Structure formats: C-alpha cells, structure tokens
Amino acid sequence: MGQVVLTINAGSSSVKFAVFAFAGGELDEMARGQVDGLGAQAKFAAKRASGEKAQFALDSSHGPADHRAGMKAILRWLGEEKLVDNVVAVGHRVLHGGRDFTKPARVDAALIATLRTLIPLGELHEPFNILGIEAAIDAFPGVPQVACFDTAFHRAQPFVADVYGLPRSYYDEGVRRYGFHGLSYEYIARQLKKVAPEIADGRVVVCHLGNGSSLCAIHKGRAVATTMGMTPLDGVPMGTRSGQIDPGVLFYLMKVKGMSVKAVSDLIHHNSGLKGLSGISQDMRELEASTSPAAKEAIDYFVYRIRREIGSLAAALEGLDAIVFTGGIGENSQRTREEVLTGMAWLGVRFDAAANAVNAQRISTPDSRTTALVIKTNEERMIAGHAVAVAGLVAA
Ligand code: ADP
C-alpha cells in the first residue's frame, strides 16, 4: 500500500475520520467512519469505499473513552488494515479560525496556543477540535498535521458583509460575521468548475442544508456573504438551532422569564429550529413522513427562510446565475428543493420537477435564466487536499 492521508473531525462526543489513498498527486477515498459515544459507551464504525464494514466497542473497563481513546481506536483499525505506517499527513477540521486564519495551516505549538484563544468564539466545538489535534499528534508523531478552518473561505468577504452594527472597537477585537461550512463551500466552488464551468465564475448562491444549515453567496469562486455569523446560530433555522432571532427575544427570555444564560443557550442551540417548531424531530426525513400540521409548519418556516436568504444573497451579489443545493437535506430532500425553487421564478429560476424527482444534478429547465444544481459535498476530500498541499506533498 502506498501513501495514505487521514482526515479528522473531532466533535464533543465523536471523532469522524476518512482515509484517502494518495498516489500520483491524486486522492482516492478508501474508507470513512467514526468513533461515537465518547464519554459514555463508545463504539467504532468504519465503512470501506467497497462497502465493507467494520465495527467494535471501545474498552470502557477503565472508565468512559475520551478523545485520546477514540484516536487509539482509529489507530487500531488502521493497524489492522496495515495502513498505520503509510499515513503521510493528517488534516483536521477546525470550526473557528478567527480573524487571522484565511487558509489552512500546519499545526505547531503556536497554532494550538492560538486555537485556545479562539475557544470563546466556538465553545461547543473548538475545545474538541484541539483535543482531536493533540490526540492525533500523539498517535502519529512526526507526521505533518494540518488545521483546516470552517471560517477561512469567508475571510474573503467584504467589510460590509463581515461587520455588525456595533461600535467599531468590537469589530477590531473580533466580533465579526465569520460564517461556517467554508470547507463545503470551497469544495462546491471547485466542483462547479468541473460540472458547470460556464457558471463557476458567475454569481452563485450555495445552500448547504443539513443538521446545521447555511447559505453562501459566491462570485468568481470567492465568498461574498453568508448567513451564519460570529457563531453558527444565525441565518436559517436548523435541526435544533433557531437561526436568525431578534436579540430582544433573548433579553425577554432572561429578564422576564428569568432564564439563565445557560438555559437560553440550550434552548436556541438544542431545542429550537425544526425540532422545536415541530415538537416531533430535528430530522427532515421524519418531518416529511409525518402527517402532523406542526411538522408541515416547521418545514414551511425552513423553506420560507431559505427563500428569503436567497433573495438577500442575490442582492449582495447584484444578480444570480445559479443556486446550488448540498448537505444531507439539499442533496436528498426533493420536497425542500421543490418548495424553495418554485418560489424563485422572479429570480429567473424555471424549476424542472421531473429532473428533481430523479435527483438529477441539474434541476432547472434548459431555458432557465438561473441554473439550479444539486452537488454532493465532500468536506473530507477538501481537508485531505489541503493536508497534502500544506504538508508540501503536492504543489498548493
Ligand atoms: P450534518 O449537518 O450533521 O452533516 P447532514 O448533512 O448529514 O447533517 O444532514 C442531515 C439531514 O439530512 C437530516 O435532517 C436528514 O433527515 C436529512 N436527510 C437525509 N436524507 C434525506 C432524504 N432522503 N430526504 C429528506 N431529508 C434527508
């Protein structure tokens, strides 16, 4: 077996990974998987590109598994696959890169120290991203580790898209609209060059719709504006996050209802969005299958906010050549795509219902002034590409 690149996405209770064969400057996905249930009953699961699966429970006889134990489980599986010694680079997904990280960077002690200063900007993810990096350094000593930031793509956006209407000192200290899902948007921008080169340099709104959802306006392959802000709470409603909310609502919850900061944070992070509105589930598949009026209203609100944001981003772009759907919902929910696009005729979209019904890549009619596309995202592939470039294994 030749060289192998590993990608790591460490969350609060899981470590997701993917393995790519690296030969002749090309990356080929070999497998992906995860260790989940960290802190409780952890288990490892992997699936090879061939479809073959592997799984095992982590040893909890000395207490619940932590991130280091999770990384050891990945290491054990790579050992069984005889791949451990072939790992030439490890790429890490990192939620927040703050003001300064505009591109992926090689991990060293100074970078880890900087990431620690960014914890207040991404309390729910950044500490675990750091744990993942530290565990990977232990597991693969001497192998280049590369941090890839979900915010970096958006650093190209202009000042007006980056700022809040607060005194300027807040912007200067880092209170900015950072935006997220940047690795997904970067991947889509690159894929557009292959699948729709006539659009790739145009004005594009990408809708990344999954458990977390955001939209991004892209022109000539560069970020112009996005719906998420300093944190991944803003913009469209999500599985459990509220999306855009009047800050006055938060004052009301705290001052009038006496809720603590933690209770409000839990509410808008974990019990709002599709889950809170429907009272049924955060999962779009379950909502689509439900006959409950509340499930329909939750989907209606989701679609309505996406349509409004597309209009807003088209204004930021001063025009629109294409809308791209990606993420678990964007790639799979025919209903969401249909309901979003049938309201977009005023922006030049002629929706192709037949193409949508068979999950075609192009879901607008040939005479549509604005093209609508479905493109599967692959953040891991983007991370692996950055890892080999930053590690100096290929030209960047
Ligand atoms: P994450 O943001 O955690 O990466 P995903 O991108 O995997 O999430 O998206 C998960 C969402 O995609 C869930 O709401 C799920 O219901 C939805 N989804 C997946 N497949 C389908 C489908 N066939 N139809 C409708 N929704 C789907």
Side-chain angles (χ1 to χ4, degrees):
M1 183 66 225
Q3 297 182 321
V4 160
V5 177
L6 179 66
T7 71
I8 297 290
N9 180 2
S12 59
S13 64
S14 71
V15 180
K16 295 185 182 145
F17 70 95
V19 187
F20 293 82
F22 178 56
E26 297 292 322
L27 287 159
D28 263 321
E29 185 169 325
M30 301 169 70
R32 63 173 66 201
Q34 61 183 24
V35 178
D36 57 23
L38 295 179
Q41 287 296 319
K43 57 182 191 313
F44 172 96
K47 190 173 173 194
R48 281 168 158 264
S50 60
E52 226 176 303
K53 291 182 185 168
Q55 57 185 44
F56 56 84
L58 271 65
D59 177 13
S60 58
S61 55
H62 305 291
D66 59 8
H67 285 73
R68 234 167 260 278
M71 193 62 66
K72 279 201 184 122
I74 296 171
L75 203 58
R76 170 181 148 190
W77 179 78
L78 287 169
E80 287 164 8
E81 299 285 308
K82 309 221 178 326
L83 294 174
V84 174
D85 298 331
N86 306 60
V87 176
V88 289
V90 183
H92 296 268
R93 181 184 192 163
V94 178
L95 178 85
H96 224 299
R99 282 176 304 188
D100 300 328
F101 289 112
T102 57
K103 51 185 202 276
R106 180 92 175 241
V107 174
D108 56 16
L111 180 133
I112 295 178
T114 306
L115 293 188
R116 287 196 202 289
T117 68
L118 297 174
I119 289 176
L121 294 175
E123 284 176 315
L124 297 181
H125 295 86
E126 207 83 348
F128 305 106
N129 298 158
I130 297 170
L131 284 176
I133 291 174
E134 289 176 335
I137 292 173
D138 278 0
F140 301 96
V143 173
Q145 312 268 340
V146 176
C148 303
F149 303 95
D150 244 342
T151 49
F153 183 71
H154 303 289
R155 293 297 80 220
Q157 68 189 2
F159 172 78
V160 288
D162 208 35
V163 71
Y164 289 106
L166 292 168
R168 176 65 186 243
S169 58
Y170 289 92
Y171 180 75
D172 294 338
E173 74 172 59
V175 179
R176 301 183 182 198
R177 292 183 202 265
Y178 288 101
F180 299 88
H181 292 135
L183 293 157
S184 174
Y185 293 128
E186 192 180 2
Y187 179 81
I188 298 293
R190 292 197 185 191
Q191 284 302 100
L192 271 177
K193 291 189 186 152
K194 292 185 194 155
V195 305
E198 72 285 5
I199 290 162
D201 270 340
R203 296 174 161 84
V204 181
V205 170
V206 181
C207 310
H208 178 110
L209 310 176
N211 276 318
S213 295
S214 72
L215 283 71
C216 182
I218 301 176
H219 188 208
K220 295 190 195 300
R222 286 166 68 84
V224 169
T226 189
T227 57
M228 282 179 169
M230 185 169 105
T231 73
L233 277 169
D234 207 352
V236 296
M238 312 179 207
T240 62
R241 285 175 243 159
S242 62
Q244 186 276 328
I245 195 162
D246 174 355
V249 174
L250 309 184
F251 296 140
Y252 167 81
L253 295 175
M254 288 188 275
K255 279 165 64 180
V256 179
K257 307 254 315 173
M259 287 169 71
S260 65
V261 172
K262 183 180 180 309
V264 173
S265 172
D266 281 349
L267 177 72
I268 61 172
H269 277 102
H270 304 303
N271 289 308
S272 297
L274 295 173
K275 179 184 173 192
L277 269 172
S278 70
I280 296 171
S281 171
Q282 68 186 71
D283 193 291
M284 182 57 89
R285 275 168 299 200
E286 282 186 45
L287 297 183
E288 288 187 1
S290 168
T291 52
S292 148
K296 180 184 178 316
E297 282 173 351
I299 297 175
D300 287 349
Y301 180 64
F302 182 62
V303 166
Y304 170 77
R305 296 302 313 196
I306 293 167
R307 282 158 55 159
R308 281 186 56 170
E309 293 294 353
I310 292 173
S312 161
L313 294 172
L317 286 165
E318 299 182 20
L320 188 63
D321 298 308
I323 300 173
V324 180
F325 289 88
T326 194
I329 298 175
E331 291 161 23
N332 299 299
S333 171
Q334 295 172 1
R335 174 169 166 183
T336 300
R337 295 193 305 251
E338 171 157 11
E339 291 186 7
V340 168
L341 291 180
T342 47
M344 287 286 143
W346 66 280
L347 267 176
V349 182
R350 294 194 61 167
F351 177 63
D352 186 338
N356 188 49
V358 294
N359 291 319
Q361 184 163 74
R362 192 171 292 247
I363 55 171
S364 53
T365 60
D367 62 346
S368 184
R369 183 164 56 76
T370 300
T371 304
L373 298 167
V374 182
I375 300 178
K376 188 172 165 43
T377 197
N378 192 343
E379 289 146 301
E380 289 74 18
R381 172 66 184 74
M382 202 68 237
I383 294 168
H386 284 316
V388 293
V390 174
L393 303 170
V394 286

